[in-house]
């Protein structure tokens, strides 16, 4: 019989991996849409109308898909994780309900005005609709991350016994919801969303430049994306460093897993490149033996904020409660960090070429941007794996283990059936949405009245949204 806990974890991982792409796309596009709308209203340049209308269509597809895939996640709390919902419902129900009533409602209502109201409302109202649509997408993330930050760093609660069962009661809402972890998660997540979308826009625009079909639309898209990358890419690494230090202080076992530190030690190196000593250890979640290139004392320096001789608590200190699958966390963390530094290289490479007037001639840069167009989303996925797998075996850090949270009546065959159904449904939906987005991108921007130019691929595209 297959373990229902393992299958429930696999199902939730699958659904969140697919779902997270679309909120990231919506949140990252929101600032671009607000900017394009503001520039369209201020300058009346047709290219900004094209930019606003084209990326608004992508936003709409992302919003619908994110809503569909996100609602299912909340149902899983009842079908697969009912013990978690029963025990922690008093803490998590409020933020999740508020997310649905406030953020989703705000986003859904004003998205309608934003998509169809350009000729029906005033410029001021229309700009407000763009801003409030984006605000709704960011507020949605706010409430979700409030719940997640509490699960990572629970505060303001009390365990009580009710009818023979242990439940979590909320004793201090401010301590619980104004959790210090929330700041780190929110800033890191939102900046990564903006950076991911900037990389996507830059990669698509670079494709049109590289193929000799550059228009004012794609040139402006490329420059807008590069401007955002120059700011957001370095900030992501700087903030990520401070975030890791917060983790070292509040979740030392997760930080130890990120660095694969088994025994408490000082002057711990930071491995830049590391390999298991045998091939079999690549798949060994407890790959202890590493051979690689490390910077002496750097991990201690990062954990302490400047002391290369600072101690790092080893995983052996937590052996009594269990440790996360070390290899997954270790490699996921390195992939995320490596991509973060690559994004800085891309941003300043593109910025330099822009400054020297060679942005449209550097074909190697165009290829690099095209190859990196979806790597921002890849970095988000690996970052999420570090955050969620790194706190195992806990679903609520130090309070409730994941194995205790699964629905008691869920059998292995039931879990297998739903997992298979979700796998087919989510992967099918993902393929369909990617197909629609690719078609939309290949058609290019819509034509507009007094438009500066047309993309060769947009023949026959209607002028109405």
């Amino acid at each position: 019989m297959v373990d229902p806990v393992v299958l429930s974890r696999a199902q939730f991982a699958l659904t969140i991996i697919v779902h997270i792409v679309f909120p990231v796309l919506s949140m990252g596009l929101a600032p671009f849409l607000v900017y394009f709308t503001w520039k369209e209203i201020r300058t009346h340049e047709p290219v900004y109308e094209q930019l606003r209308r084209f990326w608004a269509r992508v936003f709409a597809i992302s919003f619908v898909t994110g809503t569909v895939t996100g609602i299912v996640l909340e149902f899983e709390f009842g079908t697969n994780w009912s013990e978690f919902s029963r025990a922690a419902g008093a803490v998590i129900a409020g933020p999740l309900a508020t997310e649905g009533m406030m953020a989703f409602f705000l986003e859904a209502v004003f998205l309608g005005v934003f998509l169809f109201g350009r000729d029906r409302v005033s410029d001021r109202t229309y700009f407000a609709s763009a801003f409030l649509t984006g605000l709704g997408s960011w507020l949605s993330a706010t409430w979700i991350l409030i719940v997640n930050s509490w699960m990572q760093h629970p505060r303001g609660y009390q365990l009580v016994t009710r009818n023979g069962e242990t439940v979590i009661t909320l004793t201090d809402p401010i301590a619980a919801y104004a959790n210090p972890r929330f700041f780190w998660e929110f800033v890191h997540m939102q900046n990564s969303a903006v950076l991911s979308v900037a990389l996507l826009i830059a990669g698509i625009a670079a494709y049109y430049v590289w193929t000799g079909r550059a228009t004012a639309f794609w040139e402006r898209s490329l420059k807008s994306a590069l401007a955002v990358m120059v700011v957001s890419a370095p900030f992501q690494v700087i903030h990520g460093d401070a975030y890791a230090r917060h983790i070292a202080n509040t979740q030392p076992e997760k930080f130890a897993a990120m660095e694969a530190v088994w025994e408490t030690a000082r002057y711990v190196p930071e491995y830049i490149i590391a390999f298991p000593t045998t091939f079999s250890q690549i798949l060994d979640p407890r790959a202890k033996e590493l051979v690689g290139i490390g910077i002496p004392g750097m991990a201690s320096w990062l954990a302490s904020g400047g002391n290369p001789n600072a101690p790092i608590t080893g995983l052996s200190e937590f052996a009594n409660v269990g440790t996360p699958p070390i290899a997954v966390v270790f490699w996921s963390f390195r992939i995320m960090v490596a991509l973060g530094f690559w994004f800085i290289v891309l941003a300043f490479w593109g910025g330099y070429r822009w400054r020297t007037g060679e942005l449209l001639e550097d074909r190697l840069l165009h290829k690099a941007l095209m190859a990196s167009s979806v790597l921002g989303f890849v970095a988000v996925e690996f970052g999420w794996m570090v955050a969620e797998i790194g706190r195992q075996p806990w679903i609520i850090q130090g309070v409730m283990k994941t194995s205790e949270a699964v629905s008691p009546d869920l059998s292995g065959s039931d879990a297998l059936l739903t997992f298979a159904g979700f796998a087919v449904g989510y992967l099918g939906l993902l393929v369909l949405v990617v197909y629609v987005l690719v078609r939309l991108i290949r058609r290019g921007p819509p034509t507009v009245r007094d438009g500066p130019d047309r993309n060769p691929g947009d023949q026959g595209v209607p002028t109405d949204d």
Side-chain angles (χ1 to χ4, degrees):
M1 180 65 69
V2 185
D3 187 350
V5 177
V6 174
L7 286 172
S8 294
R9 289 181 62 183
Q11 178 178 312
F12 198 83
L14 171 71
T15 49
I16 195 74
I17 283 173
V18 174
H19 167 71
I20 200 171
V21 171
F22 301 102
V24 167
L25 185 54
S26 298
M27 294 184 299
L29 273 174
F32 283 95
L33 290 176
V34 172
Y35 172 73
F36 293 150
T37 304
W38 177 70
K39 290 290 289 185
E40 178 190 347
I41 293 172
R42 285 288 301 270
T43 67
H44 301 289
E45 291 184 34
V47 68
Y48 287 108
E49 181 182 349
Q50 286 185 301
L51 286 164
R52 186 260 305 169
R53 288 173 53 181
F54 179 81
W55 292 109
R57 291 171 177 173
V58 177
F59 183 95
I61 293 171
S62 175
F63 171 75
V64 172
T65 312
T67 301
V68 171
T69 55
I71 288 174
V72 173
L73 283 172
E74 299 198 12
F75 281 124
E76 288 185 62
F77 287 139
T79 57
N80 293 67
W81 305 103
S82 64
E83 281 299 293
F84 166 72
S85 301
R86 179 193 60 76
V91 179
I92 67 171
L96 292 179
T98 306
E99 188 261 341
M101 290 188 298
M102 185 180 76
F104 176 76
F105 182 78
L106 185 71
E107 189 176 4
V109 168
F110 285 98
L111 179 59
V113 178
F114 183 60
L115 289 176
F116 306 109
R118 184 66 186 97
D119 297 325
R120 297 177 174 85
V121 297
S122 67
D123 286 352
R124 182 173 298 181
T125 302
Y126 191 72
F127 176 76
S129 72
F131 177 79
L132 292 172
T133 299
L135 179 64
S137 69
W138 279 49
L139 283 176
S140 181
T142 298
W143 292 106
I144 297 299
L145 292 178
I146 283 176
V147 172
N148 187 267
S149 62
W150 180 82
M151 293 167 66
Q152 301 278 350
H153 185 49
R155 305 190 323 162
Y157 73 94
Q158 184 178 15
L159 293 175
V160 300
T161 301
R162 186 176 297 162
N163 299 324
E165 296 180 330
T166 301
V167 297
I168 301 168
T169 60
L170 190 62
T171 58
D172 187 346
I174 295 177
Y177 300 143
N179 196 309
R181 173 60 60 87
F182 169 74
F183 168 78
W184 299 105
E185 287 195 19
F186 183 80
V187 175
H188 207 61
M189 187 71 197
Q190 301 309 94
N191 192 70
S192 68
V194 173
L195 176 57
S196 299
V197 168
L199 284 159
L200 180 67
I201 294 175
I204 297 170
Y207 169 75
Y208 278 92
V209 175
W210 182 71
T211 55
R213 293 185 288 167
T215 63
F217 176 89
W218 291 116
E219 290 179 25
R220 197 65 58 93
S221 295
L222 179 57
K223 291 179 178 177
S224 298
L226 281 175
V228 172
M229 287 168 60
V230 167
V231 176
S232 59
F235 179 69
Q236 189 71 356
V237 173
I238 294 170
H239 181 270
D241 170 58
Y243 184 12
R245 199 149 48 246
H246 173 79
I247 291 174
N249 292 328
T250 57
Q251 290 179 297
E253 61 272 51
K254 179 188 287 187
F255 187 83
M258 289 159 58
E259 300 292 348
V261 178
W262 288 89
E263 303 297 335
T264 301
R266 295 179 180 273
Y267 206 62
V268 178
E270 175 74 23
Y271 283 102
I272 306 301
I273 302 174
F275 302 95
T277 51
T278 63
F279 180 77
S280 62
Q281 287 183 332
I282 294 176
L283 302 178
D284 182 356
R286 298 185 180 279
K288 293 184 179 181
E289 303 300 329
L290 295 173
V291 175
I293 302 172
I295 302 175
M298 179 57 77
S300 292
W301 189 87
L302 293 173
S304 63
N307 180 9
N309 198 39
I312 293 181
T313 305
L315 289 161
S316 60
E317 302 288 336
F318 308 98
N320 60 327
V321 294
T323 55
I326 312 304
V328 177
V329 180
F330 180 87
W331 298 116
S332 298
F333 178 62
R334 267 142 192 81
I335 293 171
M336 178 188 68
V337 171
L339 288 174
F341 281 102
W342 169 240
F343 299 155
I344 293 177
V345 172
L346 269 183
F348 284 96
W349 183 4
Y352 173 74
R353 289 303 190 191
W354 184 0
R355 181 180 173 82
T356 59
E358 300 169 302
L359 180 60
L360 303 183
E361 285 75 39
D362 191 338
R363 295 180 66 79
L364 183 60
L365 171 65
H366 303 156
K367 291 179 182 178
L369 288 172
M370 285 188 286
S372 305
S373 58
V374 298
L375 291 184
F377 295 90
V378 174
V380 169
E381 298 282 11
F382 279 105
W384 198 252
M385 290 170 67
V386 173
E388 300 308 300
I389 299 176
R391 69 176 145 93
Q392 297 302 320
W394 303 102
I395 190 169
I396 305 172
Q397 183 73 42
V399 178
M400 185 179 204
K401 289 186 175 181
T402 305
S403 58
E404 300 167 341
V406 75
S407 302
D409 297 329
L410 184 68
S411 67
S413 56
D414 291 339
L416 180 61
L417 182 64
T418 58
F419 174 67
F422 275 104
V424 173
Y426 266 64
L427 294 179
L429 180 64
L430 181 63
V431 170
L432 176 63
V433 173
V434 170
Y435 173 75
V436 172
L437 289 174
V438 169
R439 279 184 59 86
L440 182 65
I441 292 168
R442 291 185 64 181
R443 289 175 65 183
T447 54
V448 296
R449 287 167 294 189
D450 303 323
D453 45 36
R454 297 186 65 183
N455 185 287
D458 68 356
Q459 299 295 324
V461 177
T463 57
D464 295 327
D465 277 316

